[in-house]
């Protein structure tokens, strides 16, 4: 996260950069990541609250747009999966696409297995370690997993949920691992602008159509 606070003619304004990667000159040349610039007021307030939390003894704030570990992110990911399960059981279909570096959190894996059993189509693009086993009859036959490394190291994390025709997309610094959910400060941030979310969704389709 990066935050710039400016006093302008209209008052205080916050400019934010949120990224799936690190502010490091070496990794910036060899990793692929997504970065998002915004002056959205709610997002700016959330980032400001996180920095206050990190640098003081204030209470953990209730954020408006961002999901933060170790306080809310794990629960929120499970809630988003549970919503797809409910939609699938109601005959509304369900779809999840997640691009990660690793998937090893047992509670999240169990939730994905239940989603598969409910009929949710799940595509996982996991570059590294994946403890979930796809294609098991009665357990994970609706889950596909693939690992892709392009010219640069794939590092971006993307969570996409169909949400009954109203897709919800998050970019994040967090893999679905216990250390990311419970032992680190991580964030996931929504991308709601249609042009940007369509671009990221198109990127995911390129990964899913890769056959080499």
């Amino acid at each position: 996260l990066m935050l710039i606070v400016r006093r302008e003619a209209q008052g205080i304004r916050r400019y934010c950069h949120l990224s799936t990667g690190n502010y490091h000159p070496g990794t910036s040349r060899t990793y692929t990541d997504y970065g998002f610039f915004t002056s959205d007021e709610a997002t700016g307030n959330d980032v400001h609250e996180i920095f206050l939390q990190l640098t003081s003894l204030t209470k953990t704030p209730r954020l408006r747009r961002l999901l933060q570990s170790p306080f809310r992110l794990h629960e929120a990911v499970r809630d988003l999966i549970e919503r797809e399960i409910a939609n699938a059981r109601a005959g509304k279909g369900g779809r999840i696409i997640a691009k990660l570096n690793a998937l090893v959190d047992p509670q999240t894996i169990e939730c994905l297995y239940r989603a598969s059993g409910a009929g949710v189509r799940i595509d996982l693009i996991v570059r590294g370690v994946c403890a979930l086993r796809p294609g098991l009859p009665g357990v994970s036959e609706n889950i596909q997993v693939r690992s892709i490394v392009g010219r640069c190291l794939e590092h971006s994390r993307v969570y996409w949920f169909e949400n009954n025709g109203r897709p919800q997309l998050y970019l994040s610094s967090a893999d679905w691992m216990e250390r990311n959910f419970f032992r680190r400060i991580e964030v996931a941030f929504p991308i709601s602008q249609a042009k940007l979310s369509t671009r990221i969704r198109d990127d995911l389709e390129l990964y899913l159509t890769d056959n080499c």
Side-chain angles (χ1 to χ4, degrees):
L1 304 175
M2 182 177 69
L3 174 66
I4 298 172
V5 183
R6 295 188 72 225
R7 181 179 288 110
E8 300 183 349
Q10 299 80 12
I12 295 295
R13 192 168 190 183
R14 295 178 177 87
Y15 296 89
C16 304
H17 180 260
L18 304 93
S19 177
T20 64
N22 311 314
Y23 296 121
H24 187 283
T27 57
S28 69
R29 290 177 172 84
T30 57
Y31 289 17
T32 67
D33 277 293
Y34 285 118
F36 177 54
F37 283 106
T38 182
S39 60
D40 172 68
E41 183 178 357
T43 301
N45 285 335
D46 281 359
V47 173
H48 199 168
E49 289 286 355
I50 291 172
F51 280 125
L52 288 175
Q53 170 201 317
L54 289 170
T55 57
S56 67
L57 298 176
T58 61
K59 289 184 177 180
T60 303
R62 180 174 291 276
L63 304 178
R64 293 165 60 186
R65 290 179 62 81
L66 271 59
L67 306 173
Q68 181 193 4
S69 67
F71 310 110
R72 174 81 178 96
L73 181 58
H74 184 255
E75 176 188 0
V77 167
R78 294 182 65 189
D79 288 347
L80 290 164
I81 298 172
E82 291 287 352
R83 186 178 62 188
E84 296 301 312
I85 293 174
N87 287 337
R89 288 175 175 166
K92 301 175 183 177
R95 181 90 191 278
I96 297 169
I97 306 172
K99 183 179 184 296
L100 308 162
N101 296 323
L103 170 57
V104 296
D105 176 58
Q107 295 180 59
T108 305
I109 291 172
E110 180 189 2
C111 206
L112 291 169
Y113 283 154
R114 288 194 295 103
S116 173
V120 179
R121 283 182 56 209
I122 303 170
D123 284 294
L124 303 173
I125 305 159
V126 185
R127 188 201 77 212
V129 178
C130 180
L132 179 148
R133 293 183 62 191
L136 296 176
V139 178
S140 56
E141 60 262 73
N142 289 314
I143 304 178
Q144 293 190 66
V145 180
R146 68 192 70 207
S147 173
I148 295 176
V149 179
R151 182 172 60 88
C152 295
L153 186 74
E154 299 296 332
H155 195 245
S156 55
R157 292 85 162 189
V158 184
Y159 318 154
W160 186 91
F161 301 89
E162 188 174 51
N163 189 26
N164 191 28
R166 300 183 301 277
Q168 200 162 357
L169 170 69
Y170 286 89
L171 302 181
S172 182
S173 62
D175 294 307
W176 289 355
M177 307 175 70
E178 290 172 290
R179 73 180 186 191
N180 297 91
F181 284 137
F182 303 118
R183 297 195 296 275
R184 288 183 175 179
I185 301 292
E186 307 270 11
V187 296
F189 48 96
I191 302 296
S192 54
Q193 295 90 337
K195 182 178 180 180
L196 298 181
S197 59
T198 298
R199 176 180 173 180
I200 295 168
R201 183 68 174 81
D202 290 345
D203 287 351
L204 292 175
E205 282 301 321
L206 288 175
Y207 287 111
L208 297 178
T209 54
D210 187 281
N211 62 2
C212 298

